[in-house]
């Protein structure tokens, strides 16, 4: 499974764990400027959706690979969703 993570420059939320995303063959982190208004906290789901759509349409090989890997999930065909709860 391919993983694409989006992080805005200046967004404090991705920094809260103090670690960078892993650099692996199936994980890509896209660092971008917030396309919306920059405030003290530019973490906004609609802006991230805009950035993801632009990235997907960019033709970037990583974006193409991600889209292809999720085709069965996002094609409207049969899907199975499982919610799990883990407790200690």
């Amino acid at each position: 499974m391919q993983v694409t993570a989006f992080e805005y420059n200046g967004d404090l939320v991705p920094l809260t764990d103090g670690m960078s995303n892993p650099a692996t063959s199936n994980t890509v982190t896209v660092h971008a400027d917030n396309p919306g208004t920059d405030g003290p906290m530019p973490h906004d789901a609609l802006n991230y959706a805009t950035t993801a759509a632009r990235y997907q349409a960019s033709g970037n090989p990583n974006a193409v690979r991600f889209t292809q890997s999720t085709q069965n999930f996002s094609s409207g065909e049969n899907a199975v969703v499982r919610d799990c709860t883990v407790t200690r």
Side-chain angles (χ1 to χ4, degrees), residues 1-82:
M1 171 182 273
Q2 299 295 317
V3 175
T4 302
F6 295 93
E7 295 184 359
Y8 285 140
N9 302 318
D11 186 348
L12 298 178
V13 172
L15 303 175
T16 57
D17 65 359
M19 298 172 44
S20 297
N21 290 337
T24 65
S25 62
N26 68 325
T27 302
V28 173
T29 301
V30 177
H31 297 274
D33 290 324
N34 188 332
T37 57
D38 287 335
M41 190 61 148
H43 193 74
D44 182 276
L46 293 177
N47 288 341
Y48 274 105
T50 298
T51 300
R54 289 178 183 168
Y55 180 71
Q56 185 177 17
S58 72
N60 179 297
N62 291 315
V64 172
R65 187 171 28 257
F66 177 81
T67 301
Q68 289 172 342
S69 76
T70 61
Q71 198 67 35
N72 289 340
F73 179 76
S74 60
S75 67
E77 308 230 349
N78 293 333
V80 175
V81 177
R82 292 185 177 95

